[in-house]
Amino acid sequence: MMQAKSMSEPDFARHGGRIDDALAAYPDAPRPWIDLSTGINPVPWPVPKGLLVDPAPLPSTAALADLEQIAACHFGVEARHVAAVPGSEIALRLLPMLGVPLPIVAAVPSYGTHREVASEAVALAEVDRVRGGTLLIANPNNPDGRLLDRAALHKLAMRQAERGGWLVVDEAFADTDPAPSIPAVGEDAPVIAMRSFGKFFGLAGIRLGFIIAPPMVIAALRGLLGDWPVSAQAIGWGRAAYADREWIEATRIALVERARRLDAMLARHGLSARGASPLFRLVEHPDARAIFERLGRAGILTRPFVDRADWLRFGLPADDGAFGRLDRALARG
């Protein structure tokens, strides 16, 4: 029989969603696998049966503009500050090419790509020592779910501006909150935000995201991506999803309720969860390695961390069946 991979290997720690690796590492685990390794909504936006997208012609520039207008309304900003990108991951990697001042400094702990994009890292409690450059933070933060309120974000933005620097806020998990995006601080404020379509709407494979920024940054981005930055399917589904206010409002409530249910379950098994984002929870426990392995053998993938062996992140189970399997697997310890 194949030996299970150690959770310390980067296959599982680099990012979530590695079900193929899990299948190889735990060939005897029950099927289907339950993927709790991401922060993606497990109950995706239901695509209407009549929503047809013709993939033959090039995407319509008018339809793209309409998508950006609808998304801007959702974000609480003006459409001229919004540009669609093929996923917020791409937006992060394009950041050094958008004319922001260097160095890029990531507030840690944070999403792995932040460290790859940034040349320096600093703890959030020590950001006052950042002198200019571009400060990159996530809000809510990944993986610990830390959330800064708008007053704190405005303070950071103004402090960076006073020092000739910029603030970039990765808002990939922010759609669970109806509050507007951070660039509402001013017309030409040196602030950029990034949004992800896939996480809240549960359709990560569409590869759609947005940059929200001053016009000069939007112009630089359009120059890099050209006339067709995203697919016709991303445009068609994105337009309909962002306009579905009833589903958005109901989902915000449902995600909070599901997160509370997860918190209660974890607590029953002696695991204290933290995080302000209802899309995921972080558990800090000395036996996190053993818990990861136990869940893997039960066909449940969670998210480990190489540099914090005592951390384990849980996404949301999709339904009663997934909650039940997780409950039983945790009880076997």
Side-chain angles (χ1 to χ4, degrees):
M1 178 171 33
M2 290 180 61
Q3 295 294 316
K5 295 179 183 178
S6 166
M7 71 164 282
S8 62
E9 293 184 20
D11 288 347
F12 297 119
R14 178 171 171 78
H15 60 71
R18 292 182 176 271
I19 290 296
D20 288 348
D21 288 338
L23 288 166
Y26 303 96
D28 298 324
R31 311 288 180 90
W33 272 81
I34 296 174
D35 188 2
L36 305 183
S37 67
T38 73
I40 297 169
N41 183 354
V43 183
W45 177 69
V47 182
K49 292 182 179 179
L51 181 57
L52 303 177
V53 176
D54 184 359
L58 287 167
S60 161
T61 55
L64 174 63
D66 190 49
L67 165 66
E68 292 173 345
Q69 174 66 58
I70 295 170
C73 182
H74 176 80
F75 305 145
V77 300
E78 295 183 31
R80 59 201 182 92
H81 293 290
V82 175
V85 294
S88 59
E89 172 82 6
I90 293 294
L92 283 167
R93 296 186 183 278
L94 289 175
L95 189 57
M97 293 176 271
L98 295 180
V100 297
L102 301 177
I104 297 174
V105 182
V108 294
S110 62
Y111 180 49
T113 301
H114 287 203
R115 296 190 182 189
E116 295 178 14
V117 169
S119 58
E120 300 178 23
V122 63
L124 184 66
E126 300 177 352
V127 294
D128 279 346
R129 71 180 180 85
V130 178
R131 304 290 175 180
T134 297
L135 177 62
L136 172 60
I137 69 171
N139 200 57
N141 192 46
N142 177 14
D144 60 5
R146 178 201 68 233
L147 181 67
L148 299 180
D149 61 26
R150 291 187 62 75
L153 289 172
H154 279 257
K155 182 178 179 181
L156 276 176
M158 295 304 100
R159 186 191 61 78
Q160 280 293 100
E162 290 169 359
R163 298 177 178 181
W166 282 61
L167 175 68
V168 177
V169 186
D170 181 349
E171 297 181 332
F173 295 98
D175 286 311
T176 59
D177 186 342
S181 179
I182 181 60
V185 293
E187 172 64 21
D188 294 314
V191 179
I192 297 172
M194 299 175 180
R195 288 281 182 122
S196 166
F197 173 77
K199 292 180 174 60
F200 177 75
F201 289 94
L203 298 168
I206 291 296
R207 306 311 305 142
L208 176 62
F210 298 87
I211 281 187
I212 308 166
M216 57 175 277
V217 175
I218 296 299
L221 179 67
R222 296 198 192 282
L224 286 170
L225 296 182
D227 292 334
W228 305 288
V230 296
S231 71
Q233 184 183 23
I235 294 172
W237 287 21
R239 291 165 72 190
Y242 280 117
D244 193 346
R245 303 311 305 173
E246 181 178 355
W247 184 90
I248 289 169
E249 292 168 10
T251 297
R252 283 171 171 159
I253 295 170
L255 288 173
V256 171
E257 292 174 347
R258 191 173 285 116
R260 287 173 178 165
R261 181 178 178 182
L262 177 61
D263 289 343
M265 174 187 293
L266 293 171
R268 288 198 304 272
H269 295 285
L271 303 175
S272 178
R274 59 185 166 115
S277 171
L279 286 167
F280 61 88
R281 289 292 191 258
L282 182 70
V283 166
E284 185 173 341
H285 194 278
D287 293 329
R289 290 177 180 271
I291 295 169
F292 176 88
E293 294 288 351
R294 185 196 320 156
L295 295 177
R297 290 191 295 272
I300 301 172
L301 183 61
T302 51
R303 172 67 193 281
F305 298 89
V306 169
D307 53 351
R308 288 297 304 262
D310 58 338
W311 279 7
L312 196 60
R313 198 187 67 190
F314 289 76
L316 296 180
D319 51 31
D320 290 345
F323 269 103
R325 276 183 61 184
L326 177 60
D327 196 14
R328 292 190 295 273
L330 290 172
R332 294 189 188 113

Coordinates of all heavy atoms in Angstrom, one line a residue, residues 196-260:
S196 N -12.0 39.1 -5.8 CA -12.1 37.8 -6.5 C -13.6 37.4 -6.7 O -14.4 37.5 -5.8 CB -11.4 36.7 -5.6 OG -11.8 35.4 -6.0
F197 N -13.9 37.0 -7.9 CA -15.3 36.5 -8.2 C -15.5 35.1 -7.6 O -16.5 34.8 -7.0 CB -15.5 36.5 -9.7 CG -16.8 35.9 -10.1 CD1 -18.0 36.6 -9.9 CD2 -16.8 34.6 -10.7 CE1 -19.2 36.0 -10.3 CE2 -18.0 34.1 -11.1 CZ -19.2 34.7 -10.9
G198 N -14.5 34.3 -7.8 CA -14.6 32.8 -7.6 C -14.9 32.4 -6.1 O -15.6 31.5 -5.9
K199 N -14.3 33.2 -5.2 CA -14.5 32.7 -3.8 C -15.9 32.9 -3.2 O -16.5 31.9 -2.7 CB -13.5 33.5 -2.9 CG -12.0 33.1 -3.2 CD -11.0 33.9 -2.4 CE -9.6 33.4 -2.6 NZ -9.2 33.5 -4.1
F200 N -16.4 34.1 -3.3 CA -17.8 34.3 -2.8 C -18.8 33.6 -3.6 O -19.8 32.9 -3.1 CB -18.1 35.8 -2.7 CG -19.5 36.1 -2.2 CD1 -19.9 35.9 -0.9 CD2 -20.5 36.5 -3.1 CE1 -21.2 36.2 -0.5 CE2 -21.8 36.8 -2.7 CZ -22.1 36.6 -1.4
F201 N -18.7 33.6 -4.9 CA -19.7 33.0 -5.8 C -19.5 31.5 -6.0 O -20.3 30.8 -6.7 CB -19.8 33.8 -7.2 CG -20.4 35.1 -7.1 CD1 -19.6 36.3 -6.9 CD2 -21.7 35.3 -7.1 CE1 -20.1 37.5 -6.8 CE2 -22.3 36.6 -7.0 CZ -21.5 37.7 -6.8
G202 N -18.4 31.0 -5.5 CA -18.1 29.6 -5.5 C -17.8 29.0 -6.9 O -18.0 27.9 -7.2
L203 N -17.3 29.9 -7.8 CA -17.0 29.5 -9.2 C -15.6 29.9 -9.6 O -15.3 30.6 -10.5 CB -18.0 30.2 -10.1 CG -19.5 29.8 -9.9 CD1 -20.4 30.8 -10.7 CD2 -19.7 28.4 -10.3
A204 N -14.6 29.3 -8.8 CA -13.2 29.7 -9.0 C -12.7 29.4 -10.4 O -11.8 30.0 -10.9 CB -12.4 29.0 -7.9
G205 N -13.2 28.3 -11.0 CA -12.8 27.9 -12.3 C -13.1 28.9 -13.4 O -12.5 28.8 -14.5
I206 N -13.9 29.9 -13.2 CA -14.2 30.9 -14.2 C -13.0 31.8 -14.4 O -12.9 32.4 -15.4 CB -15.5 31.7 -13.7 CG1 -16.7 30.8 -13.8 CG2 -15.7 33.0 -14.6 CD1 -17.1 30.4 -15.2
R207 N -12.2 32.0 -13.3 CA -11.0 32.8 -13.4 C -11.4 34.3 -13.7 O -11.1 34.8 -14.8 CB -10.0 32.3 -14.4 CG -9.5 30.9 -14.2 CD -9.2 30.5 -12.8 NE -8.1 31.4 -12.2 CZ -8.1 31.8 -11.0 NH1 -9.1 31.5 -10.1 NH2 -7.2 32.6 -10.5
L208 N -12.0 34.9 -12.7 CA -12.5 36.3 -12.9 C -12.2 37.0 -11.6 O -12.4 36.5 -10.5 CB -14.0 36.4 -13.2 CG -14.6 37.8 -13.3 CD1 -14.0 38.6 -14.4 CD2 -16.1 37.7 -13.4
G209 N -11.6 38.2 -11.7 CA -11.3 39.1 -10.6 C -11.3 40.5 -11.1 O -11.5 40.8 -12.3
F210 N -11.0 41.4 -10.2 CA -11.0 42.9 -10.5 C -10.0 43.6 -9.8 O -9.6 43.3 -8.6 CB -12.4 43.5 -10.2 CG -13.5 42.9 -10.9 CD1 -14.2 41.7 -10.5 CD2 -14.0 43.4 -12.1 CE1 -15.2 41.1 -11.2 CE2 -15.0 42.8 -12.9 CZ -15.6 41.7 -12.4
I211 N -9.4 44.6 -10.4 CA -8.6 45.6 -9.8 C -9.4 46.9 -9.6 O -10.1 47.3 -10.6 CB -7.3 45.9 -10.5 CG1 -6.3 44.7 -10.3 CG2 -6.7 47.2 -10.2 CD1 -4.9 45.0 -10.8
I212 N -9.4 47.5 -8.5 CA -10.1 48.7 -8.2 C -9.0 49.8 -7.8 O -8.3 49.6 -6.9 CB -11.1 48.6 -7.0 CG1 -12.0 47.4 -7.3 CG2 -11.9 49.9 -6.8 CD1 -12.8 47.0 -6.1
A213 N -8.9 50.8 -8.6 CA -7.7 51.7 -8.5 C -7.9 53.0 -9.2 O -8.9 53.2 -9.9 CB -6.5 51.0 -9.2
P214 N -7.0 54.0 -9.0 CA -7.1 55.2 -9.7 C -6.9 55.0 -11.2 O -6.4 54.0 -11.6 CB -5.8 56.0 -9.1 CG -5.6 55.4 -7.8 CD -5.9 53.9 -8.0
P215 N -7.4 56.0 -12.0 CA -7.5 55.8 -13.4 C -6.1 55.5 -14.1 O -6.0 54.7 -15.0 CB -8.0 57.2 -13.9 CG -8.9 57.7 -12.8 CD -8.2 57.2 -11.5
M216 N -5.0 56.1 -13.5 CA -3.7 55.8 -14.1 C -3.3 54.3 -14.0 O -2.7 53.8 -14.9 CB -2.6 56.7 -13.4 CG -2.5 56.5 -11.9 SD -1.2 57.4 -11.2 CE 0.2 56.3 -11.4
V217 N -3.7 53.7 -12.9 CA -3.4 52.3 -12.7 C -4.3 51.4 -13.6 O -3.8 50.5 -14.2 CB -3.6 51.9 -11.2 CG1 -3.4 50.4 -11.0 CG2 -2.6 52.6 -10.3
I218 N -5.6 51.8 -13.7 CA -6.5 51.1 -14.6 C -6.0 51.2 -16.0 O -6.0 50.2 -16.8 CB -7.9 51.7 -14.5 CG1 -8.5 51.5 -13.1 CG2 -8.8 51.1 -15.5 CD1 -8.6 50.1 -12.7
A219 N -5.5 52.3 -16.5 CA -5.0 52.5 -17.8 C -3.7 51.6 -18.0 O -3.6 50.9 -19.1 CB -4.6 53.9 -18.1
A220 N -2.8 51.5 -17.0 CA -1.7 50.7 -17.1 C -2.1 49.2 -17.2 O -1.5 48.4 -18.0 CB -0.7 50.9 -15.9
L221 N -3.1 48.8 -16.5 CA -3.5 47.4 -16.5 C -4.1 47.1 -17.8 O -3.8 46.0 -18.4 CB -4.5 47.2 -15.4 CG -5.1 45.8 -15.3 CD1 -4.1 44.8 -14.9 CD2 -6.3 45.8 -14.3
R222 N -4.9 48.0 -18.4 CA -5.6 47.7 -19.7 C -4.5 47.6 -20.8 O -4.6 46.8 -21.7 CB -6.6 48.8 -20.0 CG -7.8 48.8 -19.1 CD -8.9 49.6 -19.7 NE -10.0 49.9 -18.7 CZ -10.9 49.0 -18.3 NH1 -10.8 47.8 -18.7 NH2 -11.8 49.4 -17.4
G223 N -3.4 48.3 -20.6 CA -2.3 48.2 -21.6 C -1.6 46.9 -21.5 O -1.2 46.4 -22.5
L224 N -1.6 46.3 -20.3 CA -0.9 45.0 -20.2 C -1.8 43.9 -20.7 O -1.3 42.9 -21.3 CB -0.6 44.8 -18.7 CG 0.6 45.6 -18.1 CD1 0.6 45.4 -16.6 CD2 1.9 45.1 -18.7
L225 N -3.1 43.9 -20.4 CA -4.0 42.8 -20.7 C -4.7 42.9 -22.1 O -5.2 41.9 -22.6 CB -5.1 42.7 -19.6 CG -4.5 42.4 -18.2 CD1 -5.7 42.2 -17.3 CD2 -3.7 41.1 -18.3
G226 N -4.7 44.1 -22.7 CA -5.3 44.2 -24.0 C -6.8 44.3 -24.0 O -7.4 44.5 -23.0
D227 N -7.4 44.1 -25.2 CA -8.8 44.3 -25.4 C -9.7 43.2 -24.8 O -10.9 43.4 -24.6 CB -9.2 44.5 -26.8 CG -8.6 45.8 -27.4 OD1 -8.4 46.7 -26.6 OD2 -8.3 45.8 -28.6
W228 N -9.1 42.0 -24.6 CA -9.9 40.8 -24.2 C -9.3 40.2 -23.0 O -8.7 39.1 -23.0 CB -10.0 39.8 -25.3 CG -10.6 40.5 -26.6 CD1 -11.9 40.9 -26.8 CD2 -9.9 40.8 -27.8 NE1 -12.0 41.4 -28.1 CE2 -10.8 41.4 -28.7 CE3 -8.5 40.6 -28.2 CZ2 -10.4 41.8 -29.9 CZ3 -8.1 41.0 -29.4 CH2 -9.1 41.6 -30.3
P229 N -9.4 40.9 -21.8 CA -8.7 40.4 -20.6 C -9.3 39.1 -20.0 O -8.7 38.4 -19.3 CB -8.8 41.6 -19.7 CG -10.0 42.3 -20.1 CD -10.1 42.1 -21.6
V230 N -10.6 38.9 -20.2 CA -11.3 37.8 -19.6 C -12.2 37.1 -20.7 O -12.5 37.7 -21.7 CB -12.2 38.2 -18.4 CG1 -11.3 38.7 -17.3 CG2 -13.2 39.2 -18.7
S231 N -12.7 35.9 -20.4 CA -13.4 35.2 -21.4 C -14.9 35.6 -21.5 O -15.4 36.3 -20.6 CB -13.4 33.7 -21.1 OG -14.2 33.4 -19.9
A232 N -15.5 35.2 -22.6 CA -16.9 35.5 -22.8 C -17.8 34.8 -21.7 O -18.8 35.4 -21.2 CB -17.4 35.0 -24.2
Q233 N -17.4 33.6 -21.2 CA -18.1 33.0 -20.2 C -18.0 33.8 -18.9 O -18.9 34.0 -18.1 CB -17.6 31.6 -19.9 CG -18.4 30.8 -18.9 CD -17.9 29.4 -18.6 OE1 -16.7 29.1 -18.9 NE2 -18.7 28.5 -18.1
A234 N -16.8 34.3 -18.6 CA -16.5 35.1 -17.4 C -17.4 36.3 -17.4 O -18.0 36.7 -16.4 CB -15.1 35.4 -17.2
I235 N -17.5 37.0 -18.6 CA -18.3 38.2 -18.7 C -19.8 37.8 -18.5 O -20.5 38.5 -17.7 CB -18.1 38.8 -20.1 CG1 -16.6 39.4 -20.2 CG2 -19.1 39.9 -20.3 CD1 -16.2 39.8 -21.5
G236 N -20.2 36.8 -19.2 CA -21.7 36.5 -19.1 C -22.1 36.0 -17.8 O -23.1 36.5 -17.3
W237 N -21.4 35.1 -17.2 CA -21.8 34.7 -15.8 C -21.5 35.8 -14.8 O -22.3 35.9 -13.9 CB -21.0 33.4 -15.5 CG -21.4 32.2 -16.2 CD1 -22.1 32.1 -17.4 CD2 -21.1 30.8 -15.8 NE1 -22.3 30.8 -17.8 CE2 -21.7 30.0 -16.8 CE3 -20.5 30.2 -14.8 CZ2 -21.7 28.6 -16.8 CZ3 -20.4 28.9 -14.7 CH2 -21.0 28.1 -15.7
G238 N -20.5 36.5 -14.9 CA -20.2 37.6 -14.0 C -21.3 38.7 -14.0 O -21.7 39.1 -12.9
R239 N -21.7 39.1 -15.1 CA -22.8 40.1 -15.2 C -24.0 39.6 -14.5 O -24.6 40.3 -13.7 CB -23.1 40.4 -16.7 CG -22.0 41.1 -17.4 CD -22.3 41.0 -18.9 NE -23.4 41.9 -19.4 CZ -23.9 41.8 -20.6 NH1 -23.4 41.0 -21.5 NH2 -24.9 42.6 -20.9
A240 N -24.4 38.4 -14.7 CA -25.6 37.8 -14.1 C -25.5 37.6 -12.6 O -26.4 37.9 -11.9 CB -26.0 36.5 -14.8
A241 N -24.3 37.2 -12.2 CA -24.1 36.9 -10.8 C -24.1 38.1 -9.9 O -24.7 38.2 -8.9 CB -22.8 36.1 -10.6
Y242 N -23.3 39.1 -10.4 CA -23.2 40.4 -9.6 C -24.6 41.1 -9.6 O -24.8 41.9 -8.6 CB -22.2 41.3 -10.2 CG -20.8 40.9 -9.7 CD1 -19.8 40.5 -10.7 CD2 -20.4 40.9 -8.4 CE1 -18.5 40.1 -10.3 CE2 -19.1 40.6 -8.0 CZ -18.2 40.2 -9.0 OH -16.9 39.8 -8.6
A243 N -25.4 40.9 -10.5 CA -26.7 41.5 -10.5 C -27.8 40.7 -9.7 O -28.9 41.3 -9.5 CB -27.2 41.6 -12.0
D244 N -27.4 39.6 -9.3 CA -28.4 38.7 -8.5 C -28.4 39.1 -7.0 O -27.8 38.4 -6.2 CB -28.0 37.3 -8.7 CG -29.1 36.3 -8.2 OD1 -30.0 36.8 -7.5 OD2 -29.0 35.1 -8.6
R245 N -29.0 40.2 -6.7 CA -28.9 40.8 -5.4 C -29.6 39.8 -4.3 O -29.2 39.7 -3.2 CB -29.6 42.1 -5.3 CG -29.0 43.2 -6.2 CD -27.5 43.3 -6.2 NE -27.0 43.5 -4.8 CZ -25.7 43.5 -4.5 NH1 -24.8 43.2 -5.4 NH2 -25.3 43.7 -3.3
E246 N -30.7 39.2 -4.8 CA -31.4 38.3 -3.8 C -30.4 37.1 -3.4 O -30.3 36.8 -2.2 CB -32.6 37.7 -4.5 CG -33.4 36.8 -3.6 CD -34.7 36.3 -4.2 OE1 -35.0 36.8 -5.4 OE2 -35.4 35.5 -3.6
W247 N -29.7 36.5 -4.3 CA -28.8 35.4 -4.0 C -27.7 36.0 -3.2 O -27.3 35.3 -2.2 CB -28.3 34.8 -5.3 CG -27.4 33.6 -5.0 CD1 -27.8 32.3 -4.9 CD2 -26.0 33.6 -4.8 NE1 -26.7 31.5 -4.6 CE2 -25.6 32.3 -4.6 CE3 -25.0 34.6 -4.8 CZ2 -24.3 31.9 -4.3 CZ3 -23.7 34.3 -4.5 CH2 -23.3 32.9 -4.3
I248 N -27.1 37.1 -3.5 CA -26.0 37.7 -2.8 C -26.4 37.9 -1.3 O -25.6 37.5 -0.4 CB -25.5 39.0 -3.4 CG1 -24.8 38.7 -4.8 CG2 -24.6 39.8 -2.5 CD1 -24.6 39.9 -5.6
E249 N -27.5 38.5 -1.1 CA -27.9 38.8 0.3 C -28.2 37.6 1.1 O -27.8 37.4 2.3 CB -29.1 39.7 0.3 CG -28.8 41.2 -0.2 CD -30.0 42.0 -0.5 OE1 -31.1 41.5 -0.2 OE2 -29.9 43.0 -1.1
A250 N -28.9 36.6 0.5 CA -29.2 35.3 1.2 C -27.9 34.6 1.5 O -27.8 33.9 2.5 CB -30.1 34.5 0.3
T251 N -26.9 34.6 0.5 CA -25.7 33.9 0.7 C -24.8 34.5 1.8 O -24.2 33.7 2.6 CB -24.9 33.8 -0.6 OG1 -25.7 33.1 -1.6 CG2 -23.6 33.1 -0.5
R252 N -24.8 35.8 1.9 CA -24.1 36.4 3.0 C -24.6 35.9 4.4 O -23.8 35.6 5.3 CB -24.2 37.9 3.0 CG -23.3 38.5 1.9 CD -23.6 40.0 1.7 NE -22.6 40.5 0.8 CZ -22.7 41.7 0.1 NH1 -23.9 42.3 0.1 NH2 -21.7 42.1 -0.7
I253 N -25.9 35.7 4.5 CA -26.5 35.2 5.8 C -26.1 33.7 5.9 O -25.7 33.3 7.0 CB -28.0 35.4 5.8 CG1 -28.3 36.9 5.8 CG2 -28.6 34.7 7.0 CD1 -29.8 37.2 5.6
A254 N -26.3 33.0 4.9 CA -26.1 31.5 4.9 C -24.6 31.2 5.3 O -24.4 30.2 6.0 CB -26.5 30.9 3.6
L255 N -23.7 31.9 4.7 CA -22.3 31.7 5.0 C -21.9 31.9 6.5 O -21.2 31.1 7.1 CB -21.4 32.5 4.1 CG -21.3 32.2 2.7 CD1 -20.5 33.2 1.9 CD2 -20.7 30.8 2.4
V256 N -22.5 32.9 7.1 CA -22.3 33.2 8.5 C -22.8 32.1 9.3 O -22.2 31.6 10.3 CB -22.9 34.6 8.9 CG1 -22.8 34.7 10.4 CG2 -22.1 35.7 8.2
E257 N -24.0 31.6 9.0 CA -24.6 30.5 9.7 C -23.8 29.3 9.6 O -23.7 28.5 10.6 CB -26.1 30.3 9.2 CG -27.0 31.5 9.6 CD -28.4 31.3 9.0 OE1 -28.5 30.5 8.1 OE2 -29.3 32.1 9.3
R258 N -23.3 29.0 8.4 CA -22.6 27.7 8.2 C -21.2 27.8 9.0 O -20.8 26.8 9.5 CB -22.3 27.5 6.7 CG -21.7 26.2 6.4 CD -21.7 25.9 4.9 NE -23.0 25.6 4.4 CZ -23.6 26.4 3.5 NH1 -23.0 27.5 3.1 NH2 -24.8 26.1 3.0
A259 N -20.6 29.0 9.0 CA -19.4 29.2 9.8 C -19.6 29.0 11.3 O -18.8 28.4 11.9 CB -18.8 30.6 9.5
R260 N -20.7 29.5 11.8 CA -21.0 29.3 13.2 C -21.2 27.8 13.5 O -20.8 27.3 14.6 CB -22.3 30.1 13.6 CG -22.1 31.6 13.6 CD -23.4 32.3 13.9 NE -23.2 33.7 14.0 CZ -24.1 34.6 13.9 NH1 -25.4 34.2 13.7 NH2 -23.9 35.9 14.0

